[in-house]
């Protein structure tokens, strides 16, 4: 696995990324993290800017990961769970 070198990335944002992967909803991710929907949405916007990708897009009632988000999933889960 490649090492992630991201000194300007707030690692707390990876918790939001992980929650979005698990929950498929900004509101549900916010609830799971004990954050407001607004704070979670703001965090998602910061992630989108950092990775220069939408990361999650609305499909029906769910937020589905883009190809880039799916490719980041293993590294993010590894960081969040270790």
């Amino acid at each position: 696995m490649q090492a992630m070198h991201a000194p300007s990335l707030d690692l707390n944002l990876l918790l939001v990324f992980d929650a979005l992967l698990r929950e498929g909803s900004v509101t549900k991710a916010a609830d799971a993290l004990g954050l407001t929907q607004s704070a979670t949405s703001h965090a998602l916007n910061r992630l989108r800017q950092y990775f220069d990708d939408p990361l999650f897009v609305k499909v029906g009632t769910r937020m589905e990961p883009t190809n880039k988000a799916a490719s980041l999933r293993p590294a993010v889960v590894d960081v969040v769970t270790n």
Side-chain angles (χ1 to χ4, degrees):
M1 178 183 295
Q2 258 185 346
M4 291 178 60
H5 298 285
S8 63
L9 176 64
D10 178 352
L11 296 180
N12 291 311
L13 294 176
L14 297 182
L15 296 173
V16 173
F17 186 99
D18 180 62
L20 286 164
L21 286 169
R22 287 184 285 105
E23 303 295 339
S25 159
V26 173
T27 301
K28 289 179 183 177
D31 289 343
L33 294 168
L35 300 173
T36 64
Q37 186 276 340
S38 178
T40 305
S41 181
H42 180 71
L44 175 57
N45 284 332
R46 289 176 59 199
L47 285 162
R48 285 172 167 164
Q49 287 180 324
Y50 184 84
F51 288 108
D52 193 28
D53 188 83
L55 297 177
F56 296 89
V57 292
K58 191 123 172 113
V59 177
T61 61
R62 288 189 52 83
M63 294 292 285
E64 295 290 337
T66 63
N67 289 338
K68 180 148 193 164
S71 73
L72 293 168
R73 174 183 240 144
V76 170
V77 170
D78 185 51
V79 168
V80 170
T81 59
N82 289 318

